[in-house]
Amino acid sequence: MIEFADVSKRFRAEAWAVRHVNLTIAKGEFVAVLGESGSGKTTLVKLVNRLVDTDEGTVRVGGKDVRTTDAVALRRTIGYVIQQVGLLPHLTIADNVAMVPRLLGWEPGTTAARVSELLELIGLPEMRDRFPDQLSGGQRQRIGLARALAARPALMLLDEPFGALDPITRVALQREVRRIHEELALTTVMVTHDLVEALTLADRIAVMYRSELRQVGTPKELMTDPADEYVAKLMGMAKHQAEQLATVTA
C-alpha cells in the first residue's frame, strides 16, 4: 500500500529531517511511527500526502509514485487527521464533514447520506447542526476523523491525533480509531511520541531517531529483540511503567 524507497528530506542544507528511510506498509496494517520531537516522524508521514516532497528517493501509494499525482488531488484521496483538528468555525458539523465530497463533486443526496453514516459511526448523530465551538475537544476530534473518512479513503494518516485530549477522552478515542480501522479495513499510519499508545494500538511500530528509521517490528518484537541501544531504552521505559503499575495493585 505504501512504500518508502531510500527516502530522504532536508529543510536546511546542514540538517536531514528524514534520511535513507526504507519502509513498506501493507494494505490493512496499522503502523505507528514512534519518536521524540525532531526525530523526523511527522515529516515522514507528510511525504505520503505531499505536504512535503522528497529530496531523494521515492514514496509510492498503491504502487504509484505520489509525485506523479497532483498534490491537491492526492490529498483528497487520503484521510488526514491532525491534533489541531482544523474544523471551519463558520460551518456546521455536517458541512465540515461534507467538505471533501462536495469538492469532489458528489451528488447532494449521496453526500448527505455519507455525512449521516459517519456521524452514526463516530456516535455523534445529534451534533450535525451544531458548530465546532459548541463541541468538546474530544467531540471535535471525532468530527475531524469523520471528515477525514468522508470520501471513503483506503488510507488514513494520523498526526498526533490525541495529544491535546484529557486521559479518559484520549483512551476512548484511541479505541474508537482502532475499531474504525478494523471495521472499514483501512490502512492507517499514526505519528506518536507516546510509547504506550504505539504499543497498544499498532500492528507494527516504526521507531525514528535523529532522522533515521532505527527498527520496524511488532510490539512484541521490539520488546523482546530491540535492534539497538536506543530502542532498548525505549522498551525499558515501557517495562518500567508496567512494573510501577504492578506495584500499585500488589
Side-chain angles (χ1 to χ4, degrees), residues 1-3 24-25 58-66 68-69:
M1 182 63 175
I2 308 173
E3 181 186 1
T24 300
I25 297 171
T58 304
V59 180
R60 299 183 184 90
V61 174
K64 186 176 181 181
D65 186 338
V66 296
T68 65
T69 302

Side-chain angles (χ1 to χ4, degrees), residues 20-33:
H20 299 308
V21 169
N22 290 281
L23 172 64
T24 300
I25 297 171
K27 182 179 180 180
E29 270 198 299
F30 193 125
V31 172
V33 183

Side-chain angles (χ1 to χ4, degrees), residues 104-123:
L104 293 173
W106 287 24
E107 292 292 330
T110 303
T111 299
R114 181 60 173 163
V115 170
S116 296
E117 177 187 2
L118 286 168
L119 292 179
E120 288 286 348
L121 182 69
I122 63 168

Side-chain angles (χ1 to χ4, degrees), residues 76 95-107 110-112 114-115 118 146-147 149-152:
R76 290 176 182 172
D95 286 337
N96 266 284
V97 175
M99 189 182 308
V100 174
R102 286 173 178 165
L103 289 171
L104 293 173
W106 287 24
E107 292 292 330
T110 303
T111 299
R114 181 60 173 163
V115 170
L118 286 168
R147 184 179 61 182
L149 292 167
R152 296 189 175 90

